[in-house]
């Protein structure tokens, strides 16, 4: 074959791959920008609507890719990215997501409720079918997507729209009349285009992690202003979401980002600004609640414990003073950033040890009362966390009674509700007047439904993805922003479950971050 013909074939191949990457780009655009706002019948079928959007757009993407490849007479799995990255360089996250899918498939095949496990229709629709789509799209996006900074920033703008909408809901405005037929008692429980307040604050926590990290590390003035404005809006939205879950996300973000941000002076003083801003927002929301009580829903729980502290206003002034001092000091170049990071890590370890002691003191020693309002959060019993303690207890009782094979593979995805109805129906209805079809803890949910191997494979996939992002993308702010978004999500997952209202958004972020790492390693 002549050099001219070879060059011609290479040109056609490159053009074909550009076409494939455009298709993937459109898919990511739809998932990051349209998915959060999508609905069909207000809140009445929000879960099904988001699920169908994700499945339809994902399957449509695969079909369009196949048709495109047929029309261009190219073999999809012979395009350059797949040859180089999948067959020759299968990464640890690649292997573990395959293993996770295999555990799901085995769990479904061994299940006594195969249809329900496949479709997930007895729970939140995250059955084998859903995770099969996730696995397929994982390989397509991570191997073919080309990172686009504009789409990433546009996703934050869409997040601002969702959060401003949520803030107006807190003021009882209901601008789009989503709550017209919702009972007065349940109206505070549904927010913006996301729905349930726990799911909403999960989404906002992801956004806050992205914005905070990018604000702290950005150099261009316009970017700094943009990310700071986003951060403030997300803080207001997170607190006004009225869910205590929000503070788990906030704690993960504020507690762990310094390990990354304290690498230079800019990160140090901007982190101080973030902390001061967060408590200022809390003070502002408290002011709104007290002066416009009739126009807002109000907040209890952790928020009330914080605002009842008489030192909060002084604390806000002090934090801004510290931020100002650090700004001046950093302008004169603070030395030994490694010491700052190590000191912070030591404080985290000491704080963790202190928390363990307090939990022991409140539970084993029975001294919860000495911690005042926090005692309700420190003392674990059936009523803990809006009866989450009860659900966790019966979950572990169920698991302890499983046969050995069921301990390994569970009863199938989304079969939790079947099991609880079978063994705990009377206790749920008579004592709590509610049916629990989920564990309200993502990790316990996986343990019961897909077994120990399923849970371990999921955790392995998530942690190996984080490890790869840190190793390959430490100098890429967008990748590191996603790292902390995942950390925020995984922290609040202790009291929440994986639902296709927010999880696909996070998974797409994970995929595009790994795609960015692919570009680095290449």
């Amino acid at each position: 074959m002549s050099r001219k013909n070879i060059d011609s074939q290479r040109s056609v191949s490159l053009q074909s791959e550009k076409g494939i990457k455009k298709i993937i780009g459109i898919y990511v655009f739809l998932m990051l920008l349209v998915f959060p706002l999508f609905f069909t019948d207000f809140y009445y079928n929000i879960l099904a609507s988001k699920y169908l959007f994700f499945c339809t757009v994902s399957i449509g993407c695969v079909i369009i890719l196949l048709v495109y490849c047929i029309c261009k007479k190219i073999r999809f799995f012979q395009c350059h990215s797949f040859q180089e990255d999948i067959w020759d360089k299968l990464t640890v996250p690649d292997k573990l997501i395959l293993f996770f899918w295999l555990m799901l498939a085995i769990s479904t095949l061994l299940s006594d409720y195969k249809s329900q496990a496949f479709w997930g229709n007895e729970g939140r629709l995250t059955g084998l079918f859903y995770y099969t789509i996730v696995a397929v799209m994982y390989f397509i996006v991570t191997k073919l997507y080309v990172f686009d900074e504009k789409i990433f920033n546009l996703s934050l703008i869409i997040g601002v729209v969702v959060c401003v909408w949520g803030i107006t809901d807190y003021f009882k405005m209901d601008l789009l009349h989503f709550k017209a037929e919702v009972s007065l008692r349940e109206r505070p429980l549904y927010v913006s285009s996301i729905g349930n307040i726990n799911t909403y604050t999960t989404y906002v926590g992801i956004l806050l992690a992205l914005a905070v990290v990018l604000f702290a590390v950005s150099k261009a003035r316009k970017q700094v202003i943009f990310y700071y404005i986003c951060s403030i809006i997300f803080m207001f939205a997170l607190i006004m979401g009225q869910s205590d879950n929000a503070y788990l996300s906030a704690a993960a973000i504020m507690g762990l980002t310094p390990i990354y941000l304290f690498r230079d002076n800019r990160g140090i003083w901007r982190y101080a600004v973030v902390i001061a801003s967060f408590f200022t927002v809390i003070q502002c929301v408290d002011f709104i609640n007290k002066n416009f009580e009739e126009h807002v829903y109000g907040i209890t729980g952790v928020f009330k414990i914080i605002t009842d502290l008489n030192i909060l206003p002084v604390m806000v002034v002090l934090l801004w003073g510290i931020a100002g001092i650090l700004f001046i000091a950093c302008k004169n170049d603070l030395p030994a950033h490694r010491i700052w990071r190590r000191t912070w890590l030591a404080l985290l370890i000491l704080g963790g040890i202190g928390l363990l002691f307090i939990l022991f003191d409140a539970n084993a020693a029975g001294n919860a009362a000495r911690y005042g309002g926090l005692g309700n959060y420190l003392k674990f019993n059936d009523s803990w966390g809006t009866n989450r303690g009860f659900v966790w207890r019966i979950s572990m009782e169920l698991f302890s009674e499983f046969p050995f094979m069921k301990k390994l593979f569970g009863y199938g995805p989304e079969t939790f509700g079947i099991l609880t109805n079978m063994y705990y129906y009377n206790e749920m209805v008579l004592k709590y007047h509610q049916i629990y079809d989920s564990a309200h803890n993502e990790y316990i949910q996986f343990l019961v439904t897909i077994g120990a191997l399923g849970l371990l494979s999921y955790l392995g996939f998530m942690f190996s993805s984080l490890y790869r992002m840190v190793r390959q993308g430490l100098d890429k702010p967008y990748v590191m922003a996603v790292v902390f978004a995942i950390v925020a999500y995984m922290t609040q997952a202790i009291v929440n479950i994986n639902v296709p209202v927010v999880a696909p958004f996070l998974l797409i972020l994970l995929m595009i971050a790994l795609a960015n790492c692919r570009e680095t390693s290449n």
Side-chain angles (χ1 to χ4, degrees):
M1 184 179 293
S2 66
R3 173 179 288 273
K4 185 176 181 180
N5 288 336
I6 293 173
D7 290 342
S8 177
Q9 286 186 359
R10 286 179 178 174
S11 177
V12 170
S13 177
L14 288 173
Q15 288 178 1
S16 298
E17 288 201 30
K18 285 181 180 179
I20 290 173
K21 288 173 181 177
K22 283 182 180 179
I23 295 170
I24 307 302
I26 293 171
Y27 171 76
V28 170
F29 177 91
L30 291 173
M31 287 304 305
L32 292 185
L33 275 64
V34 180
F35 176 78
L37 292 170
F38 184 80
F39 68 94
T40 56
D41 188 20
F42 306 111
Y43 295 130
Y44 307 109
N45 67 343
I46 195 75
L47 174 66
S49 295
K50 302 282 191 186
Y51 168 79
L52 288 173
F53 182 92
F54 169 67
C55 293
T56 302
V57 172
S58 299
I59 294 171
C61 177
V62 173
I63 293 172
I64 291 170
L65 281 173
L66 292 174
V67 171
Y68 178 83
C69 290
I70 292 171
C71 292
K72 292 292 184 178
K73 297 180 180 180
I74 60 174
R75 295 182 179 180
F76 182 70
F77 289 101
Q78 286 188 351
C79 66
H80 175 75
S81 294
F82 269 94
Q83 284 182 326
E84 182 174 344
D85 287 314
I86 288 190
W87 309 128
D88 297 334
K89 296 183 180 180
L90 204 65
T91 67
V92 174
D94 296 344
K95 295 173 183 177
L96 285 172
I97 196 172
L98 287 173
F99 186 68
F100 177 53
W101 181 87
L102 180 62
M103 294 303 100
L104 286 159
I106 293 173
S107 180
T108 301
L109 289 172
L110 296 179
S111 175
D112 300 327
Y113 316 100
K114 291 180 176 59
S115 176
Q116 294 89 335
F118 182 80
W119 296 109
N121 55 315
E122 287 292 327
R124 301 303 200 277
L125 303 175
T126 57
L128 178 61
F129 178 75
Y130 167 82
Y131 282 112
T132 300
I133 293 175
V134 168
V136 170
M137 296 314 301
Y138 166 85
F139 282 102
I140 290 176
V141 174
T142 57
K143 305 309 173 186
L144 296 173
Y145 180 67
V146 177
F147 182 79
D148 189 336
E149 182 180 319
K150 291 180 180 178
I151 290 180
F152 196 99
N153 287 331
L154 282 172
S155 72
L156 291 179
I157 294 176
I158 295 299
V160 168
V161 172
V162 173
C163 289
V164 170
W165 180 352
I167 291 169
T168 63
D169 280 341
Y170 180 73
F171 283 90
K172 303 181 181 179
M173 294 182 181
D174 192 22
L175 298 177
L176 300 181
H177 306 292
F178 266 50
K179 304 181 183 182
E181 297 182 20
V182 177
S183 68
L184 291 175
R185 184 178 64 85
E186 293 186 330
R187 284 185 182 183
L189 302 178
Y190 296 94
V191 188
S192 191
S193 60
I194 305 299
N196 182 274
I197 57 173
N198 294 325
T199 309
Y200 170 75
T201 52
T202 298
Y203 172 72
V204 180
I206 293 169
L207 295 174
L208 180 60
L210 298 175
V212 162
V213 171
L214 292 173
F215 159 70
V217 300
S218 294
K219 297 179 181 179
R221 180 173 297 180
K222 289 182 179 179
Q223 286 187 326
V224 173
I225 295 171
F226 170 68
Y227 294 130
Y228 184 69
I229 292 173
C230 287
S231 297
I232 296 298
I233 293 172
F234 298 153
M235 288 176 188
F236 271 103
L238 192 71
I239 295 166
M240 290 180 172
Q242 310 167 69
S243 173
D244 284 341
N245 302 354
Y247 298 94
L248 283 175
S249 295
I253 295 167
M254 307 305 172
L256 297 176
T257 51
I259 298 172
Y260 169 64
L261 299 182
F262 285 5
R263 297 193 308 157
D264 56 35
N265 292 345
R266 183 190 304 112
I268 292 171
W269 74 262
R270 285 188 186 171
Y271 172 76
V273 169
V274 168
I275 294 294
S277 299
F278 184 73
F279 282 96
T280 302
V281 168
I282 292 177
Q283 182 69 71
C284 290
V285 174
D286 185 47
F287 175 84
I288 292 169
N289 289 348
K290 291 176 179 176
N291 291 275
F292 302 94
E293 187 176 355
E294 295 182 358
H295 301 285
V296 298
Y297 285 118
I299 315 172
T300 57
V302 175
F303 177 84
K304 191 73 167 59
I305 294 172
I306 296 173
T307 54
D308 281 348
L309 295 173
N310 295 327
I311 63 168
L312 182 60
V314 177
M315 184 177 172
V316 169
V317 174
L318 181 63
L319 287 171
W320 278 112
I322 292 172
I325 292 170
L326 285 174
F327 173 75
I328 295 171
C330 288
K331 287 296 182 181
N332 295 321
D333 193 21
L334 280 176
H337 300 120
R338 182 177 297 178
I339 294 176
W340 280 76
R341 294 200 304 274
R342 288 180 176 177
T343 301
W344 189 266
L345 187 59
L347 290 174
L348 286 178
I349 293 171
L350 289 174
I353 294 171
L355 179 59
L356 289 175
F357 172 78
I358 291 172
L359 290 174
F360 173 83
D361 188 46
N363 291 273
N367 295 320
R370 71 168 59 174
Y371 300 100
L374 282 174
N376 294 327
Y377 294 91
L378 299 172
K379 177 69 175 178
F380 291 101
N381 50 36
D382 279 7
S383 61
W384 187 90
T386 322
N387 303 327
R388 279 173 171 78
F390 165 72
V391 185
W392 296 356
R393 174 177 64 81
I394 65 174
S395 299
M396 300 315 296
E397 287 177 2
L398 281 170
F399 184 76
S400 67
E401 296 295 326
F402 283 0
F404 179 72
M405 289 299 290
K406 295 300 184 184
K407 279 185 168 67
L408 291 180
F409 299 106
Y411 275 82
E414 291 289 23
T415 55
F416 187 89
I418 297 174
L419 298 174
T420 54
N421 274 309
M422 188 180 301
Y423 296 104
Y424 289 94
Y425 180 82
N426 289 336
E427 188 174 359
M428 289 189 296
V429 173
L430 294 176
K431 189 174 181 180
Y432 296 101
H433 311 291
Q434 187 173 347
I435 300 297
Y436 291 98
D437 60 359
S438 71
H440 292 282
N441 178 307
E442 187 168 308
Y443 312 110
I444 294 176
Q445 177 86 2
F446 279 141
L447 181 66
V448 174
T449 56
I450 58 176
L453 289 178
L455 172 61
L456 289 173
S457 61
Y458 170 74
L459 291 174
F461 166 67
M462 296 299 288
F463 283 114
S464 66
S465 296
L466 289 172
Y467 180 77
R468 181 169 174 79
M469 289 177 205
V470 173
R471 283 292 302 271
Q472 300 288 343
L474 190 60
D475 295 321
K476 292 195 171 187
Y478 292 102
V479 173
M480 293 306 298
V482 172
V483 166
F484 289 102
I486 294 171
V487 169
Y489 174 87
M490 293 185 71
T491 302
Q492 64 76 39
I494 296 170
V495 293
N496 263 347
I497 56 170
N498 187 318
V499 292
V501 177
V502 170
F505 179 82
L506 178 86
L507 290 169
I508 295 299
L509 288 175
L510 180 150
M511 293 174 197
I512 65 176
L514 288 175
N516 206 354
C517 292
R518 180 201 77 231
E519 295 170 13
T520 303
S521 60
N522 285 347

